[in-house]
Amino acid sequence: QVQLVESGGGLVQPGESLRLACVASGSWRYINLMAWYRQAPGKGRDLVARITREGRTTYDDSVLGRFTISRDIAKDTVYLQMDSLKPEDTAIYYCNTNAYNYETGSLDYWGQGTQVTVSS
């Protein structure tokens, strides 16, 4: 089982920056990937950025060049550095992982979300 806890959300003005963090705890053999999703009011949950076990990254076009996903393996933590924030970035941001262990195979896990609000 893996537990994910996000932090770092808040209220900022357009053009400012935030850094989200997601700390994983529990037990696993491998983390196959970690990702950030977001869900705006009345909208679905959309992929923002993803990083694989090998370190390959993927970004949604809407955040490419502004957001950076990174990880600290020693701290079991993934980050999302968000620069040049726009009002349309306003959403609840969720941490996601696909993790493998011998008992369950590969499973998806979700954090509780952290609110990011970009408004003037």
Side-chain angles (χ1 to χ4, degrees):
Q1 296 292 319
V2 181
Q3 295 79 48
L4 303 173
V5 179
E6 304 99 330
S7 63
L11 173 63
V12 297
Q13 297 182 18
E16 295 183 339
S17 297
L18 283 173
R19 190 191 193 198
L20 307 183
C22 171
V23 180
S25 61
S27 63
W28 59 87
R29 181 64 175 175
Y30 300 110
I31 295 289
N32 294 316
L33 63 89
M34 298 195 78
W36 289 95
Y37 287 73
R38 65 186 179 187
Q39 187 167 15
K43 307 282 285 186
R45 189 173 297 186
D46 298 322
L47 176 69
V48 177
R50 178 171 55 218
I51 185 166
T52 70
R53 184 172 66 238
E54 297 78 22
R56 296 188 296 270
T57 58
T58 301
Y59 297 93
D60 183 77
D61 286 343
S62 66
V63 306
L64 189 65
R66 300 188 298 118
F67 290 12
T68 304
I69 189 169
S70 63
R71 62 185 179 175
D72 187 333
I73 296 175
K75 295 183 181 296
D76 295 326
T77 301
V78 64
Y79 302 94
L80 185 67
Q81 177 68 41
M82 304 184 295
D83 297 323
S84 301
L85 282 162
K86 304 175 180 180
E88 50 262 48
D89 296 319
T90 296
I92 301 174
Y93 283 70
Y94 295 92
C95 183
N96 162 262
T97 188
N98 184 270
Y100 172 85
N101 67 58
Y102 292 118
E103 290 72 36
T104 64
S106 296
L107 295 174
D108 287 332
Y109 301 90
W110 294 90
Q112 81 290 342
T114 185
Q115 177 71 48
V116 172
T117 302
V118 185
S119 177
S120 59

